[in-house]
Amino acid sequence: MTLTQWLDIPFPIIQAPMAGVQGSRLAIAVSEAGALGSLPAAMLSSTQLQAELQALQVLGKKPYNLNFFCHQPPADDPARLAGWQTLLQPYYQQEGIAAVAAGGVQRLPFNQEMADLVSHYRPAVVSFHFGLPAPALLQQVKAAGCKVLSSATTVAEARWLAANGADAIIAQGLEAGGHRGMFLDLDLDTQLGSFALLPQVVAAVTLPVIAAGGIADAAGIAAAMRLGAAGVQVGTAYLLCDEADTSPLHRTALAGLRAAHTALTTLYSGRPARGIVNRLMRELGPRHPAAPAFPLASAALAPLRAAAEAQGRDDFSPLWCGQNASGCHAIPAAQLTRQLAGQA
C-alpha cells in the first residue's frame, strides 16, 4: 500500500518534522499542497503546542503529522555537567560572558498532557522518534484514531516497532539531517545508508515503510519507491522554504558550499544528530565524550550561541542538514512539494 492510499493524500511525501526550524506554517503549506505536513512538538510546552494545533485547524479534514520524542529523561549527573562547563569555559571567556548551568530549550518526552491534546485534536498521524511511548500512552493515541509512525535506523528497530504497535515504519538512513532515531543500540557502526537500509526493512516487516535520508529530488523519490517504499520523508529540502523558521545564519550555510560537509555530532544535545560542520564541531570533535546525556548538552551552549549569533557567527549554532542539500531552494513550500511530486 502506498502512502497516498494509506492517508488519502495526492502525493506520497511526508515533510519531516524539524524541531527548532519550523512551526505550523510549514506544515500547513505542505498539507495544503497535497503531501503530509508535520509539526515537531518536542521543544514545545503544552501551551505552545495547543496554540500550534489550533492553527492547524485551518486544514479542516486534510491530514497532518504531529511528531514527538519519547526518550527517557537522564538521571542527574552533576559531575558530568560540571565537566561540560569546564570544557566550554575558554569559549565563555572569549565571548566575554559568564557561564550558566541552566537555560536553553530542552526537548520533552511524550507525556500524559501531550497525549490528552492528541485525544482532543485527533491528528491523522502521530509520529515518534527514539522508539514508542509507554503502552498506555500509545493506546490512548490509537484510541483517538491516529495512525502511528516511528523511526527505525536498523532492521532490528523496525522489527521491534512492528511488534510493539507502530502502524508504519520510517526507515531513517544515515544521510538524514537532525537527530538519529536510534533507540535499541547507540553504536553508530550499526547505522546504514538509506538505500541499504530501506530494502532490508521492507523485507523484514509487513507494514508500510517510508524512506528517509538524503532524498531531495524526483530521482531519489523514484529510487525509493522502486525499492519498495510506500512513500518518502523529505526534510533538508524544506529548510530554505519561505514558511520555514530557519535562521538567516542557518540559511546562509545551507545555500553555500559548507552544506557539503556534515557530520554526526553529540555536542548540541547529547545524542547523534547530523549538521553542517562549524567551529565547535571542528575544535572539540563532533562527538566529545564530555557532552552530557540527551537532552542536557544544549543548556550550557545557549548563552554562547546567543552571543555569537548576535555578532553574525554560527560558531555554536546547530546547523541541522542532511548529506544532500541540493534540493534546498528559497521558494514557497507548496511549490517545492508540487515540484517533487510532479517530477517524480
Side-chain angles (χ1 to χ4, degrees):
M1 180 181 292
T2 65
L3 196 65
T4 56
Q5 297 167 323
W6 196 54
L7 294 177
D8 192 23
I9 56 177
F11 308 139
I13 299 169
I14 299 175
Q15 164 250 313
M18 300 176 288
V21 293
Q22 67 143 125
S24 57
R25 282 198 311 143
L26 181 60
I28 290 168
V30 172
S31 285
E32 287 186 333
L36 184 69
S38 301
L39 176 72
M43 295 174 70
L44 302 178
S45 67
S46 59
T47 301
Q48 291 170 323
L49 176 55
Q50 188 164 14
E52 291 281 49
L53 286 167
Q54 193 60 41
L56 285 163
Q57 298 312 293
V58 72
L59 288 170
K61 293 185 178 180
K62 287 187 174 70
Y64 63 88
N65 167 36
L66 193 56
N67 176 258
F68 298 95
F69 285 178
C70 48
H71 59 283
Q72 291 296 319
D76 290 338
D77 191 346
R80 191 169 182 181
L81 289 174
W84 185 230
Q85 288 276 340
T86 299
L87 183 67
L88 296 176
Q89 188 60 40
Y91 294 115
Y92 282 102
Q93 293 173 349
Q94 292 169 19
E95 298 296 332
I97 57 177
V100 296
V105 178
Q106 297 294 355
R107 295 161 178 85
L108 302 174
F110 189 65
N111 57 29
Q112 186 62 58
E113 195 171 18
M114 294 174 179
D116 290 343
L117 284 172
V118 167
S119 295
H120 179 75
Y121 286 93
R122 296 176 174 268
V125 177
V126 173
S127 64
F128 295 100
H129 223 43
F130 312 135
L132 292 168
L137 293 177
L138 181 61
Q139 183 54 43
Q140 184 173 342
V141 171
K142 286 178 164 281
C146 310
K147 293 180 170 67
V148 173
L149 303 180
S150 189
S151 300
T153 66
T154 63
V155 173
E157 288 178 346
R159 289 193 176 115
W160 187 95
L161 292 172
N164 285 276
D167 296 314
I169 308 293
I170 299 167
Q172 188 194 34
L174 189 60
E175 301 95 328
H179 282 90
R180 305 295 304 144
M182 54 205 305
F183 62 94
L184 289 183
D185 190 337
L186 296 183
D187 180 0
L188 288 175
D189 287 338
T190 66
Q191 302 295 280
L192 301 175
S194 294
F195 293 126
L197 176 65
L198 174 61
Q200 294 185 65
V201 172
V202 169
V205 301
T206 58
L207 303 177
V209 179
I210 293 97
I215 299 170
D217 55 24
I221 294 173
M225 301 295 276
R226 282 197 297 270
L227 288 173
V232 301
Q233 181 168 277
V234 177
T236 299
Y238 281 102
L239 285 172
L240 289 186
C241 286
D242 300 347
E243 298 86 354
D245 298 324
T246 314
S247 72
L249 287 173
H250 195 170
R251 287 175 181 271
T252 298
L254 287 163
L257 297 177
R258 291 176 60 196
H261 187 192
T262 66
L264 291 172
T265 180
T266 56
L267 300 180
Y268 292 106
S269 72
R271 267 185 181 261
R274 184 174 296 283
I276 297 170
V277 174
N278 60 1
R279 178 189 173 192
L280 189 70
M281 294 164 68
R282 286 193 302 270
E283 293 183 359
L284 295 186
R287 297 180 295 279
H288 198 286
F294 181 87
L296 302 179
S298 62
L301 286 171
L304 291 170
R305 175 181 178 179
E309 287 183 352
Q311 299 177 43
R313 294 182 285 113
D314 60 27
D315 295 356
F316 308 103
S317 304
L319 305 172
W320 304 138
C321 176
Q323 286 186 322
N324 184 2
S326 65
C328 288
H329 302 288
I331 58 177
Q335 181 180 342
L336 174 61
T337 302
R338 288 191 293 266
Q339 284 180 359
L340 291 170
Q343 292 166 359

